[in-house]
Structures are given as C-alpha cells and as structure tokens.
Amino acid sequence: MRRLSRLELAGESLRAALEELAEIAPELLQPLVEPEWDKRYGRKIEIRKVPGGPEAVTERAEIFGRDGQKVLAALWSLDAPLRLRTLPQVEILRQVWVHHYYWDEQGQLRWRDGHALPPASLRFDSPHDTDAHYCTKNGNEWSGYRVHYTETCEEQRPEIVVHVATTIAPVQDGQLTEQIHDDLAQAALAPAEHVVDAAYITPARVQRAQQAHGITLLGPIVADHSQQAKSGEGFGKSAFTIDWDLRQATCPRGKTSTPARAFRIKGHEYLQFRFAKADCLACPDRRPCTASATRPRSIALLPQPLHEIQVQNRLDQQTEQWQRRYAVRSGIEATLSQTVRRNGLRRTRYRGLAKTHVQHVLTAMACNLTRTADWIAETPRGRTRSSRFHTLCTAAAG
C-alpha cells in the first residue's frame, strides 16, 4: 500500500466516503454536491507537490475540510437515516476529521499542525487500511505493520520459525516479550533460554520469564545512562553501596542518604535515594559527582530484585562467555534477511492486521520448508560474504 501524505489522506478519505454514499444514498448526497466536486473528488486522490509551500497545503487541506464537514453535518442532521452514520467509509471520514482538523475560537474548521496530531497508534494513514499506522525506527519510516519471528537454534538441526507475532507498527518490540513467552508455553514450545536483542529485555522481563515459564532471557540490558557513567568521570550509580533493609545508600565518601522514597516513571516503580544538602555542598568531589550547583546528589534505582538482576546482567555482558552465548542471536538476523529478500516480507499483499498476520505466517512456513529441505538434502550452508579488502585485513591481522 502506498503511503499517503496527510493531505492525500484527507482528500482520499472524503472521496471514498462520497463513493460509498453515491451508491447507498444518492438522494441524500445529490443536493450537497458542488460544481467543483467532480473534478476534485471524481478520481483517486494523488497529490505529489503543491505549489506555494506549506501555506498552499494548509489552504487546500481546509478546502477538503469544509467539503467533508458539509457531508458530515448532513449525515448527522435530524432527518438523515441513522444507518448512514455507521457506514465504514463515513466512520473513517469522521475519524480522519477528528484527527487532522479542529475548530478555532471563531468557529472555523482548521488544519492541525503536524505536532498537534494524536499519537501514531491512534490514527491511521489510509482510508483503505485503518490498521496501517506510521512508525519510525533507526531512521527508517514506514506505514503498516511490525512482525516478530522466534526461531530455534539447535546445533545439527535447521533453524525453524516456531512463533510469529504481527502488530501495528507503533507497538514497540519489548511489549511482545511476555506474549511470545505465553504463546510458546501454551504450545509446549517454551525454550530453556531465549536470546533477544536489547529492545525485548528489561530486568522486569528477565524476572517474569524465569518465574512464569522457567525461561532464561538472554540479551543486553542497556547501560547506566547517568551523566557520570557515560562520561566515565565522577561516581556512577554502581559506585554507591545500598542497604536494602534500611533503604539507604552510602556514597563513596561514606555519607548516607535519607531513606528511599518510591516513585513511578512511565508505569515503572523506582526508589530515589537523596543525600543531605549539607553533606553534598561540603564534599570535595561535588563537581564530578553532580552537575547541579545547589542541589544535593540523588540516585534512582529499581527495587532490590530488579536492581540485582540489572547489575548482574551488566557485569555478565562484559564477559567472553556471555558474548559467545549471545552470538547465536545472529541467526534470526539471517532469517529476517532471507524472508525480506526472498519472500518479500516488507511488502504486505493484503489489507488489515489479520490478513497481514496470515501472510507473515505463510512466509515463515515457506522459510521453514526451504530450510528443512536443505537440511534433509545436506545442502552446504552459504558462507557470509566478505569484501576482498576485509579478507585482506583479516589475513594481515592474523
């Protein structure tokens, strides 16, 4: 599906509603039609570039807005049949107008600024597929869906995709970890160890995977992002000693914090340890310890069980043994590359989340059949390609 601009979305949503009403309620629509509407909405809306810049785009969008509002007002009048309000394209038109227009203080319908839109998870990008949502990740932008594959990684056996999850694009990867584990457990396919990338793992998910299903969740937990830890100067959170019974922290200079208080950030519980202002102001290490000129140092930590998981994982990640265990995750990257290049994974052939999920499942099945056939035939695996220059440098280093 081609990604529409906001202007195209507004025009195409109105055109689709007019098509629907022309078929079902022509007697209601006919009196509303203005002379310019045939040229404006008589064919599919495709707008490449609007001469005149942003002001011209806004002007054209507000023309669409007034036309669409005229139709909506007629459908919501007292003498209009109620069934017309529930027509699929009419409902889509209403939602698009709510998402992209607003009434100003003078009662005029206005085009919303791009920064004043609802979240991408609540609005859609096409009147022909309301499950397709906008998303950006690592500099890549798209409108559509997101797929999550889970595969086996046993030696001497082919890697087989055993779980497929499809979501709307704005759903973040980490939100699927628990669902994937629950689905695998229900199918009696829960692994002893599940290797994932950083997006799928947090201390809470490590704890939940072990407690709920006995799964060891292996992946890189993000490093301490405090200013001190990132700069390598001063005292990061790991430099403080925590007395969990007294709920107090002791800094490297031996000063003790006040008892921790609990608070929440984005639904997650933390403990804040705050030190006395008098102790911090008199400390010779104040400058590398805190950037504030007047406030004392404070640190926010996860509750004890999660904090200990976090600390232990960060230590393990630095070891060669952990790196060897984690190296197996590169297999799923090969699977994604194979399904993208050979099976067109990034281009959905259907509309709607349910049908797109079927495509993702069929794509995984095709991959599994190919790999199983190659394994039975003992076909040698392809080697990772390297440039001649890289090969030369590797040989020279050896």
Side-chain angles (χ1 to χ4, degrees):
M1 182 186 69
R2 186 175 69 88
R3 182 181 164 196
L4 304 182
S5 68
R6 290 181 58 211
L7 183 61
E8 288 177 310
L9 171 63
E12 183 63 13
S13 298
L14 177 52
R15 187 198 68 81
L18 292 174
E19 282 289 310
E20 188 174 52
L21 291 169
E23 178 182 359
I24 296 174
E27 70 287 347
L28 181 142
L29 181 60
Q30 183 63 49
L32 304 176
V33 176
E34 298 178 9
E36 302 85 3
W37 283 21
D38 183 29
K39 182 179 180 181
R40 196 175 293 163
Y41 308 112
R43 62 180 61 186
K44 184 179 179 181
I45 304 295
E46 292 184 350
I47 304 171
R48 298 303 180 188
K49 186 176 181 180
V50 179
E55 294 80 7
V57 170
T58 299
E59 180 181 357
R60 191 161 179 180
E62 291 182 352
I63 291 174
F64 289 160
R66 289 190 292 272
D67 293 346
Q69 187 58 34
K70 181 178 180 181
V71 173
L72 291 172
L75 293 173
W76 262 260
S77 63
L78 295 177
D79 55 344
L82 294 178
R83 63 182 179 86
L84 298 181
R85 303 177 189 177
T86 61
L87 293 175
Q89 293 299 332
V90 169
E91 173 57 20
I92 289 171
L93 175 67
R94 185 192 68 80
Q95 291 185 39
V96 170
W97 259 233
V98 170
H99 295 163
H100 295 272
Y101 294 92
Y102 72 99
W103 296 101
D104 66 11
E105 295 178 353
Q106 286 73 42
Q108 298 296 315
L109 191 68
R110 299 299 183 190
W111 183 241
R112 287 188 188 274
D113 181 81
H115 300 290
L117 297 174
S121 59
L122 298 181
R123 54 186 169 87
F124 43 84
D125 288 350
S126 170
H128 307 300
D129 186 353
T130 56
D131 288 336
H133 296 257
Y134 169 82
C135 188
T136 177
K137 181 180 180 182
N138 298 330
N140 296 318
E141 297 180 89
W142 77 97
S143 179
Y145 305 88
R146 192 179 295 215
V147 61
H148 308 259
Y149 281 167
T150 304
E151 69 175 11
T152 60
C153 52
E154 299 176 275
E155 294 185 8
Q156 309 303 322
R157 292 187 180 183
E159 289 86 355
I160 298 298
V161 177
V162 294
H163 185 272
V164 181
T166 306
T167 68
I168 61 172
V171 175
Q172 298 304 301
D173 295 342
Q175 295 177 245
L176 271 292
T177 305
E178 290 85 354
Q179 177 188 324
I180 292 170
H181 288 168
D182 292 344
D183 291 348
L184 290 172
Q186 186 175 4
L189 293 172
E193 184 173 79
H194 188 189
V195 186
V196 298
D197 70 19
Y200 292 88
I201 187 170
T202 65
R205 292 180 182 126
V206 172
Q207 183 187 57
R208 198 259 185 185
Q210 185 62 51
Q211 292 179 348
H213 303 296
I215 298 173
T216 298
L217 189 60
L218 181 70
I221 286 182
V222 293
D224 181 1
H225 53 73
S226 66
Q227 178 182 347
Q228 296 82 357
K230 289 190 292 186
S231 66
E233 300 177 356
F235 304 126
K237 295 179 181 179
S238 60
F240 293 78
T241 302
I242 311 299
D243 187 325
W244 295 103
D245 293 329
L246 297 178
R247 294 168 63 92
Q248 290 182 317
T250 302
C251 77
R253 292 302 179 189
K255 300 300 182 181
T256 304
S257 72
T258 57
R261 68 175 185 86
F263 71 105
R264 300 182 72 83
I265 300 177
K266 296 181 179 180
H268 301 287
E269 184 177 342
Y270 288 85
L271 297 174
Q272 185 178 51
F273 299 84
R274 184 180 294 276
F275 290 85
K277 186 174 183 179
D279 290 338
C280 286
L281 291 177
C283 180
D285 292 319
R286 174 176 177 77
R287 184 176 295 275
C289 187
T290 178
S292 174
T294 58
R295 291 180 294 179
R297 177 70 186 271
S298 65
I299 58 173
L301 302 177
L302 292 166
Q304 182 181 0
L306 301 182
H307 175 74
E308 291 174 349
I309 290 173
Q310 184 181 64
V311 170
Q312 187 60 51
N313 275 43
R314 285 174 176 170
L315 291 174
D316 292 343
Q317 288 162 206
Q318 309 306 316
T319 65
E320 185 176 345
Q321 180 186 5
W322 188 94
Q323 295 291 340
R324 285 197 301 267
R325 290 171 62 197
Y326 187 67
V328 71
R329 204 199 73 82
S330 61
I332 194 64
E333 298 297 341
T335 298
L336 292 174
S337 178
Q338 178 181 346
T339 52
V340 167
R341 297 173 186 274
R342 182 176 294 181
N343 304 108
L345 182 66
R346 286 185 178 154
R347 181 67 64 179
T348 178
R349 295 168 173 80
Y350 307 100
R351 294 177 180 176
L353 181 63
K355 290 184 178 180
T356 300
H357 176 65
V358 171
Q359 177 185 328
H360 292 160
V361 171
L362 293 174
T363 301
M365 291 172 62
C367 180
N368 288 345
L369 288 171
T370 301
R371 291 182 170 185
T372 302
D374 288 343
W375 180 70
I376 293 173
E378 299 183 352
T379 304
R381 294 192 178 192
R383 299 180 61 183
T384 302
R385 295 181 181 180
S386 298
S387 68
R388 293 183 177 88
F389 180 69
H390 175 71
T391 303
L392 178 66
C393 293
T394 302

